[in-house]
Amino acid sequence: LSRSNMLRHLVQRTARRLVPANMAHSHAASSSTSQKKLLRGVVFDMDGTVTVPCIDFVEMRRRCGVTQGDILDVINAYPPEKKAAAYKAIADMEDEALVNMRLMPGAVGLCAMLDAAGVPRGLITRNVMRSVEHFHAHHIVAQGVAPFQPSISRECAFAYKPSPDALLHICATWGIPASEAMMVGDSVKDDIVCGNRAGAVTCLIDFEGKQGYSLEQLEGERRPTFIVRSLTELSQLLQDRFELAAPPRPQAAIEAVQG
């Protein structure tokens, strides 16, 4: 079995083990009075999703000498010296971005809404953990908001997006099937493909409609379940279209697994 299939099996087994015997009946009863889909966890990308876009990825590819293909895949195939130089170029740009990092409008309100409903928030980024820690310290905790847990960077043990491994791990941590989670991000090829491969609900953030995406133009595993133009719009979507509920695994257990 591939690692993704093993994680998917673990998610399904863990979710079945943690669901109380009477839960299926209660959900069936609620579905008879509401068409809302059950959602018990939301996982976010970081750059361009919960923070305002400030990294010039075209310039990053130029500095790294990557003209086509996934930039990390290409760099990882470089000879050691060239690979180190390319990652240094990426690190320099990521450090520059920390100075200009700003929280996406609507992020605090969205986090507060999910927290009030008991719905956990996770984070998966192709950035490094240093940037995640800066984001939490200066833009999340500083606003009186709890950090995203779990938070997974490209330095962690899981294959980076679009692999679904990190997302499946988070779902297993929460004790829910991927179908009861939403993956939110601004990249079709990374975030949406990751979520679709895991079997999650997917939502594409097209900030202020600048990319002009529509569902009709996106096909296969690149097609999201939803497209929104802002986190405020996402917050409304979650409240209108989903039954938001806490996962069966208590927050203390989630923090213990994360720690």
Side-chain angles (χ1 to χ4, degrees), residues 67-242:
T67 57
Q68 55 184 312
D70 185 289
I71 186 170
L72 296 181
D73 288 346
V74 173
I75 290 172
N76 286 334
Y78 281 167
E81 187 173 336
K82 185 177 181 181
K83 177 179 177 180
Y87 270 115
K88 173 64 165 56
I90 290 177
D92 288 345
M93 291 194 67
E94 289 172 339
D95 285 346
E96 293 167 10
L98 297 184
V99 178
N100 299 315
M101 182 181 282
R102 291 188 296 119
L103 201 60
M104 187 72 83
V108 172
L110 175 58
C111 290
M113 185 271 292
L114 290 172
D115 293 352
V119 177
R121 300 175 276 108
L123 189 92
I124 305 175
T125 178
R126 284 163 55 110
N127 208 317
V128 293
M129 191 54 68
R130 178 171 178 267
S131 296
V132 174
E133 292 170 350
H134 178 92
F135 163 68
H136 278 146
H138 296 276
H139 301 282
I140 294 298
V141 176
Q143 298 282 344
V145 178
F148 290 73
Q149 291 185 320
S151 291
I152 297 176
S153 76
R154 70 167 183 262
E155 299 165 313
C156 295
F158 304 97
Y160 46 78
K161 297 177 294 186
S163 166
D165 289 0
L167 178 54
L168 290 169
H169 167 75
I170 290 177
C171 291
T173 299
W174 291 339
I176 64 174
S179 60
E180 292 180 0
M182 175 184 282
M183 180 70 212
V184 181
D186 67 319
S187 171
V188 170
K189 67 180 182 63
D190 295 326
D191 305 315
I192 302 308
V193 172
C194 165
N196 285 336
R197 287 179 179 176
V201 179
T202 52
C203 184
L204 178 66
I205 296 283
D206 183 3
F207 183 50
E208 296 180 345
K210 291 179 178 178
Q211 300 300 318
Y213 284 119
S214 67
L215 288 175
E216 292 72 22
Q217 73 185 88
L218 299 169
E219 299 179 344
E221 60 184 7
R222 288 177 167 244
R223 182 167 183 160
T225 314
F226 303 100
I227 298 177
V228 297
R229 271 46 176 176
S230 69
L231 293 184
T232 301
E233 187 178 336
L234 172 59
S235 181
Q236 194 62 53
L237 171 74
L238 290 171
Q239 294 175 80
D240 291 346
R241 300 290 293 272
F242 294 91

